[in-house]
């Protein structure tokens, strides 16, 4: 009997306990209010919750970068846009700044040896030797990681550049760099000369290279101690802006990346440009200028921006090939009364009026193979994609920081008073002081946005060039070399380019005569198998 009573007591306690546990937040299981709680507490108090914790911010991702440094726009690690990019995109950049003259050599050495490779290499493409290095595993095939580059992908689609991307694929069907992207090509530099001299002498605006010769002769006659045509940053700027009017594009900055071949736009094939009639005419023209004291004898050496500017501002020279944004700085430093520079559309040569060939894709970003071994490789690529190709990043590298360098209202850009009143002009001041508009770091180019940095005169020049037709031709296609062919081409390319460079200098300076020594030069280039080199290029086109 006692056991039965004990069991009943235990059951009663269990049932009571379950009933108590069934109540939630002052309610019974059926959802009716608990009268005891209602009576003692009045209105129901809200449930207390733990304060929400801020998600912990990731440490900045560290990225080492190769940067190609130009003496006319020397890199500064404390540039506003660099610091702002690091802050906005949570990145810590470590820039290795390399002079532009040494840049390709440094990149080549690094990729060939794999030693001290950065995470990112700026201002590069897979033309020339880089194609061979890519196919041999020195570079990341970035097209395999398109999921990591949503901003780049969106820009390509926005600008209608899908087909252009396909042309950048190598023989294995993969693309090994993220190029700079342009919505339309624009005429950013060309012949700049003293307009005040033309007006004073009653000379017409030059339309041909013969016109330019006559202007230089007239200036030399008035200023015997001058060398009327000077060079900015070595001859490569002059070459790439003037050779196309003679039907060739050769040398270190030649279109196509071969250095000694050029592209026949009518036939759609490469030819031996370095030994062509077009090149012979071109080098004869420069030799004539040099012989008559019309061409700066220092042209073979890189002439830094300050020295170049001083030559122009002082009247030691009156013409040059450079970029429109540099006019303001030269004008401001000149003490010559009435000094006035103007930029002109491309001059007509034997092959027509043409400028430096350009694509709507430019030099861009490569990732050395070692970068893919980083545990945070995806984060590195996504960060680079956002920094350089997002709309926020694109505006930063182009315009600077809103509220500091510009303001924007209803889509209209207004620059700060400092920039508007700068003697060097908006574009150049943005570049030099703040780091905006560098070819190395600005990888999205929107023409309408760019034109806000210039005056109405520059917009007029661009309209004139556009009305002339195909002044700016497309860069020739890159051959799709496999490993073996890329190596074969590389073996031939170096001695050909070295020989071409030596002879070019000799022809211009008169150490060799175009009239007497041309055949010897051609024979030497043929001995070095320029014809075989050309065949390799043509045999490996799409």
């Amino acid at each position: 009997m006692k056991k039965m009573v004990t069991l009943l007591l235990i059951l009663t306690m269990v049932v009571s306990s379950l009933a108590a546990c069934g109540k939630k937040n002052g309610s019974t299981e059926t959802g009716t209010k608990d009268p005891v709680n209602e009576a003692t507490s009045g209105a129901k108090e809200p449930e207390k919750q733990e304060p929400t914790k801020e998600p912990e911010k990731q440490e900045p991702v560290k990225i080492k970068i190769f940067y190609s440094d130009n003496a006319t726009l020397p890199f500064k690690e404390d540039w506003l846009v660099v610091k702002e990019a690091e802050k906005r995109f949570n990145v810590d950049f470590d820039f290795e700044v390399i002079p532009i003259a040494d840049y390709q050599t440094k990149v080549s050495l690094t990729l060939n040896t794999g030693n001290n490779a950065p995470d990112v290499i700026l201002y590069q493409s897979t033309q020339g030797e880089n194609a061979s290095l890519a196919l041999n595993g020195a570079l990341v095939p970035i097209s395999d990681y398109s999921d990591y580059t949503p901003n780049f992908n969106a820009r390509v689609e926005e600008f209608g550049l899908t087909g252009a991307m396909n042309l950048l694929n190598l023989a294995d069907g993969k693309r090994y760099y993220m190029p700079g992207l342009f919505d339309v090509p624009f005429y950013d530099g060309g012949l700049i000369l003293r307009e005040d001299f033309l007006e004073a002498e009653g000379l017409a605006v030059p339309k041909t290279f013969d016109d330019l010769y006559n202007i230089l002769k007239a200036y030399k006659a008035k200023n015997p101690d001058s060398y009327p045509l000077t060079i900015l940053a070595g001859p490569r700027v002059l070459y790439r802006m003037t050779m196309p009017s003679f039907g060739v594009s050769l040398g270190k900055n030649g279109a196509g990346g071969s250095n000694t071949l050029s592209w026949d736009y009518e036939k759609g094939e490469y030819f031996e440009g370095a030994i062509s009639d077009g090149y012979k005419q071109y080098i004869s023209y420069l030799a004539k200028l040099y012989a008559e004291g019309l061409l700066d004898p220092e042209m073979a050496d890189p002439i830094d921006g300050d020295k170049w500017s001083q030559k122009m501002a002082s009247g030691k020279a009156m013409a040059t090939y450079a970029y429109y944004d540099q006019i303001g700085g030269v004008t401001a430093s000149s003490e010559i009364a009435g000094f006035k520079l103007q930029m002109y559309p491309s001059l007509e040569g034997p092959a027509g009026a043409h400028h430096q060939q350009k694509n709507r894709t430019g030099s861009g970003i490569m990732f050395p193979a070692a970068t893919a071994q980083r545990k945070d490789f995806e984060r590195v690529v996504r960060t680079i994609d956002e920094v350089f190709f997002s709309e926020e990043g694109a505006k930063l590298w182009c315009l600077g920081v809103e509220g500091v360098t510009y303001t924007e209202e209803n889509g209209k850009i207004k620059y700060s008073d400092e920039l508007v009143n700068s003697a060097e002009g908006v574009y150049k001041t943005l570049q030099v002081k703040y780091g905006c508009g560098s070819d190395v770091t600005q990888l999205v180019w929107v023409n309408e946005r760019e034109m806000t940095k210039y005056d109405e005169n520059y917009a007029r020049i661009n309209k004139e060039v556009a009305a002339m037709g195909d002044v700016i031709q497309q860069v020739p296609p890159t051959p799709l070399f496999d490993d073996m062919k890329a190596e074969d081409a590389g073996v031939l390319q170096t001695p050909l380019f070295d020989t071409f460079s030596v002879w070019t200098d000799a022809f211009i300076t008169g150490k060799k005569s175009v009239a007497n020594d041309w055949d010897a030069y051609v024979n030497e280039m043929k001995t070095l198998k320029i014809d075989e080199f050309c065949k390799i290029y043509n045999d490996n086109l799409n």
Side-chain angles (χ1 to χ4, degrees), residues 95-136:
F95 287 94
E96 183 170 346
V97 180
I98 303 159
I100 190 170
D102 305 323
Y103 195 63
Q104 191 60 53
T105 301
K106 175 76 171 180
V107 170
S108 174
L109 181 63
T110 298
L111 294 180
N112 270 295
T113 64
N115 294 333
N116 301 314
D119 301 304
V120 169
I121 299 175
L122 299 178
Y123 205 52
Q124 285 289 284
S125 71
T126 49
Q127 289 186 337
E129 183 192 16
N130 286 346
S132 175
L133 290 167
L135 293 170
N136 281 302

Side-chain angles (χ1 to χ4, degrees), residues 52-254:
T52 304
K53 289 184 178 179
E54 288 284 336
E56 290 187 15
K57 188 175 182 181
Q58 284 182 298
E59 286 294 312
V61 58
K62 294 182 181 295
I63 300 177
K64 183 179 178 181
I65 293 185
F66 272 8
Y67 183 97
S68 175
D69 196 36
N70 192 325
T72 63
L73 180 58
F75 177 81
K76 298 175 185 174
E77 195 141 2
D78 63 350
W79 268 336
L80 174 67
V81 290
V82 172
K83 292 303 178 188
E84 188 70 17
E86 290 183 317
K87 182 175 70 175
R88 289 190 193 183
F89 302 107
N90 198 29
V91 57
D92 180 7
F93 286 131
D94 175 13
F95 287 94
E96 183 170 346
V97 180
I98 303 159
I100 190 170
D102 305 323
Y103 195 63
Q104 191 60 53
T105 301
K106 175 76 171 180
V107 170
S108 174
L109 181 63
T110 298
L111 294 180
N112 270 295
T113 64
N115 294 333
N116 301 314
D119 301 304
V120 169
I121 299 175
L122 299 178
Y123 205 52
Q124 285 289 284
S125 71
T126 49
Q127 289 186 337
E129 183 192 16
N130 286 346
S132 175
L133 290 167
L135 293 170
N136 281 302
L139 295 171
V140 173
I142 195 61
S143 59
D144 284 354
Y145 300 94
S146 61
D147 288 349
Y148 298 176
T149 60
N151 293 291
F152 175 81
N153 303 342
R155 288 291 183 182
V156 168
E157 185 173 349
E158 178 190 354
F159 292 171
L161 293 173
T162 301
M165 289 305 105
N166 293 334
L167 292 176
L168 301 179
N169 293 341
L170 298 184
D172 59 359
K174 298 181 180 185
R175 177 172 41 80
Y176 287 81
Y177 76 112
M178 298 167 70
L181 306 174
F182 297 78
D183 63 341
V184 295
F186 58 99
Y187 186 69
D188 56 350
L191 174 65
I192 294 172
L193 57 76
R194 291 268 302 278
E195 187 175 52
D196 60 299
F197 179 76
L198 298 188
E199 293 172 351
E201 298 298 315
L203 297 171
V205 168
K207 299 291 185 182
T208 69
F209 282 92
D210 286 340
D211 293 341
L212 176 60
Y213 169 77
N214 291 329
I215 290 169
L216 299 177
K217 285 281 285 184
Y219 190 83
K220 182 76 172 181
K222 293 275 185 177
N223 303 274
D225 294 336
S226 71
Y227 293 100
L229 179 61
T230 191
I231 307 297
L232 172 66
R236 66 178 185 275
V237 175
L238 173 70
Y239 291 167
R240 69 185 182 218
M241 290 185 178
T242 56
M243 278 187 179
S245 290
F246 290 76
V248 292
S249 181
L250 304 163
K252 200 166 189 177
N253 290 89

Side-chain angles (χ1 to χ4, degrees), residues 323-349:
Y323 298 92
Y324 187 82
D325 59 275
Q326 293 165 311
I327 289 177
V330 176
T331 303
S333 63
S334 179
E335 297 179 358
I336 298 173
F339 185 92
K340 185 180 180 183
L341 292 177
Q342 180 62 281
M343 187 171 84
Y344 299 90
S346 295
L347 301 182
E348 184 177 349

Side-chain angles (χ1 to χ4, degrees), residues 80-81 84 88 392-406 415 430 434-437 453:
L80 174 67
V81 290
E84 188 70 17
R88 289 190 193 183
E392 184 180 5
K395 289 183 77 171
L396 175 65
W397 294 108
C398 174
L399 304 173
V401 177
E402 189 168 6
V404 178
T405 55
Y406 75 99
Y415 292 101
L430 273 173
Y434 296 107
C436 305
K453 302 178 185 180

Side-chain angles (χ1 to χ4, degrees), residues 368-387:
T371 308
Q373 303 306 311
R374 287 183 52 153
K375 291 181 180 179
D376 60 351
F377 172 63
E378 179 176 349
R379 186 184 176 198
V380 170
V381 176
R382 286 187 179 278
T383 299
I384 290 296
D385 174 65
E386 196 171 15
V387 167

